[in-house]
Amino acid sequence: MPQWLKRQLMKAFQTKNRKQILLLNDCWFLYNDKQGGRN
């Protein structure tokens, strides 16, 4: 998982921003699919 995504997820969890958590989760799965599921 890229560092920028980890930082944004941590911030979203700390502020309990449900919308941002769901968006970042979708971003992670899209990114992971494009990378061939390596991570």
Side-chain angles (χ1 to χ4, degrees):
M1 181 179 291
Q3 194 62 37
W4 63 269
L5 186 58
K6 286 182 188 178
R7 271 182 272 147
Q8 287 191 17
L9 272 170
M10 291 296 284
K11 185 176 180 184
F13 273 106
Q14 287 170 355
T15 59
K16 296 183 171 97
N17 188 342
R18 184 165 158 43
K19 274 186 165 181
Q20 189 175 9
I21 293 168
L22 293 173
L23 176 66
L24 290 169
N25 190 47
D26 288 343
C27 287
W28 166 243
F29 282 108
L30 182 64
Y31 174 85
N32 203 26
D33 283 346
K34 291 209 182 260
Q35 294 298 317
R38 285 184 287 167
N39 296 348

